[in-house]
Amino acid sequence: MIKIQRHPKLADVAAFISRLNSNLEHHIGYCGKKMDEIFNTLEEDFGDIPARESFFIATESDKVVGVCGFDADNERGKAEIWGPFVDRADALKVSNLLWESTIKEIPNTIQTVSLFPDNHNLMVVDLANRYSFDSVSKETILTCSKQSFRRVNNDNVIPLISEHYNSLIKLHNQIFPNSYLTGTEMVDGLSETSTVFGAVDEHSNLPGYLYTEAEPEFGEGSIEFFGVTPLVRNKGLGTSLLAKGLEWLFTFPSIEEVTLCVQSDNSKAIRLYKRLGFQIEHQLTFFEKTLDKSGVN
Ligand SMILES: CC(C)(COP(=O)(O)OP(=O)(O)OC[C@H]1O[C@@H](n2cnc3c(N)ncnc32)[C@H](O)[C@@H]1OP(=O)(O)O)[C@@H](O)C(=O)NCCC(=O)NCCS
């Protein structure tokens, strides 16, 4: 018999997600693949509701067969659904039970929930369709290894410092007006492991920037944002920015691989990524749904 339990041990949740998330047919783009990294995110870097409160596990004869939870952002009124992950023959039944339990716990501060399955994850794609989620965008995750990185000259690109931050905030908000991070939040969070590179012209204008995050403790790095102002595109600046970001990430001895996510119809950016050594790892769909607060979901 299947039991759905709240307040699971986060180590069990992390171990289960880590085992399933490397397979295309179980993959959810919000979650990592390495157990220690997932555990650390759940324990220390989760949303506004602690992971222990927001996750459910499904067990059968004390064996974990499914996991689902949500990462809530109260200020934006959004929650990302981690899962459902199910490893069992009748996955549909377990995924429905997990989904129903999870959705009931979503607080009133949240208006919108989202799912982010790999297109091969038919169980979650099907769940999105059955529960009338909107298919908002198609996304592609690419990775570049230290070995495949093709270096190019990037002498025109420098690490940005506080005197550039106003221009940076303006450019970021112009190019990515609806992103998960505003320009001000990006600048406020800069640290030894998250940095911004840019090209500053002779009039102190900032025509392009790249924001990158390193997680040396987990051997990973990511390109989070990357943009060039329209008038200056197609002159090689994007290529130099990307090369600089990768070069910096690969100075961390533990970092062997860099990941990024881009809209699948952004063929220009994907061509650029591939030229510098990135390969496509996942093709995903971003689904969103506005919750019906009368309880009919
Ligand atoms: C993606 C983006 C950053 C690329 O920046 P860019 O400065 O135009 O990039 P580059 O100039 O290096 O390369 C773009 C093209 O110009 C070409 N190019 C580069 N230098 C050139 C030169 N000197 N003369 C002629 N063409 C040149 C490149 O070969 C490339 O051609 P392609 O599109 O046919 O593959 C930019 O288009 C952008 O800001 N887009 C909006 C935000 C975005 O999509 N960001 C990425 C996803 S997060």
Side-chain angles (χ1 to χ4, degrees):
M1 192 173 123
I2 303 291
K3 276 199 233 161
I4 305 292
Q5 288 165 274
R6 213 179 157 200
H7 303 130
K9 283 192 193 139
L10 294 183
D12 290 346
V13 172
F16 193 78
I17 294 179
S18 163
R19 186 161 66 76
L20 265 64
N21 213 30
S22 297
N23 302 326
L24 292 181
E25 65 270 25
H26 292 293
H27 185 77
I28 298 287
Y30 292 134
C31 322
K33 294 177 182 174
K34 293 180 185 163
M35 186 170 142
D36 52 351
E37 188 230 324
I38 299 169
F39 181 73
N40 184 272
T41 304
L42 293 174
E43 197 159 69
E44 288 178 21
D45 193 19
F46 213 57
D48 293 326
I49 295 175
R52 237 179 91 70
E53 303 287 315
S54 74
F55 267 86
F56 288 84
I57 53 167
T59 56
E60 188 178 35
S61 311
D62 291 333
K63 184 175 170 253
V64 181
V65 293
V67 158
C68 190
F70 62 90
D71 183 354
D73 181 340
N74 286 334
E75 204 179 313
R76 289 187 167 83
K78 290 177 184 270
E80 298 172 345
I81 308 290
W82 281 40
F85 292 96
V86 181
D87 186 16
R88 199 171 177 278
D90 58 348
L92 190 62
K93 182 178 148 198
V94 181
S95 94
N96 283 346
L97 288 170
L98 281 167
W99 168 255
E100 298 289 344
S101 305
T102 306
I103 204 77
K104 272 194 207 126
E105 287 308 316
I106 294 203
N108 285 335
T109 46
I110 302 298
Q111 286 92 46
T112 323
V113 291
S114 56
L115 296 166
F116 197 26
D118 187 287
N119 293 341
H120 292 84
N121 186 343
L122 300 182
M123 189 192 75
V124 176
V125 171
D126 175 62
L127 187 143
N129 292 328
R130 277 186 293 117
Y131 286 92
S132 308
F133 275 73
D134 293 324
S135 167
V136 177
S137 61
K138 298 283 182 191
E139 305 282 332
T140 298
I141 292 178
L142 298 103
T143 54
C144 178
S145 69
K146 212 177 218 170
Q147 291 73 31
S148 61
F149 171 36
R150 291 185 209 106
R151 287 167 195 272
V152 297
N153 186 326
N154 54 56
D155 292 346
N156 50 336
V157 176
I158 55 168
L160 296 184
I161 52 171
S162 52
E163 70 191 67
H164 306 125
Y165 289 170
N166 282 341
S167 314
L168 171 64
I169 291 169
K170 201 167 147 212
L171 182 61
H172 174 77
N173 293 344
Q174 262 167 14
I175 299 183
F176 299 103
N178 301 312
S179 83
Y180 73 92
L181 201 68
T182 64
T184 307
E185 287 168 339
M186 182 170 82
V187 164
D188 287 347
L190 291 175
S191 69
E192 274 179 12
T193 54
S194 57
T195 196
V196 185
F197 294 99
V200 181
D201 70 14
E202 63 277 18
H203 309 294
S204 297
N205 296 319
L206 180 71
Y209 78 106
L210 176 138
Y211 169 61
T212 173
E213 289 180 359
E215 284 192 294
E217 65 277 38
F218 304 116
E220 289 180 1
S222 61
I223 306 291
E224 295 291 318
F225 295 102
F226 163 44
V228 170
T229 193
L231 281 177
V232 183
R233 288 179 192 166
N234 301 317
K235 294 185 169 128
L237 179 54
T239 304
S240 306
L241 284 162
L242 184 61
K244 186 75 170 185
L246 287 167
E247 232 174 69
W248 179 75
L249 286 167
F250 288 133
T251 59
F252 291 87
S254 65
I255 294 186
E256 292 290 330
E257 190 173 80
V258 174
T259 303
L260 60 81
C261 182
V262 59
Q263 289 201 348
S264 303
D265 60 6
N266 193 344
S267 48
K268 180 174 173 160
I270 292 175
R271 269 200 308 277
L272 202 166
Y273 294 138
K274 285 183 171 171
R275 269 202 302 277
L276 263 61
F278 279 86
Q279 286 184 334
I280 292 181
E281 185 151 326
H282 292 286
Q283 306 267 18
L284 309 98
T285 305
F286 177 66
F287 292 101
E288 215 168 41
K289 177 182 166 76
T290 303
L291 294 177
D292 175 353
K293 294 293 174 182
S294 67
V296 187
N297 285 307

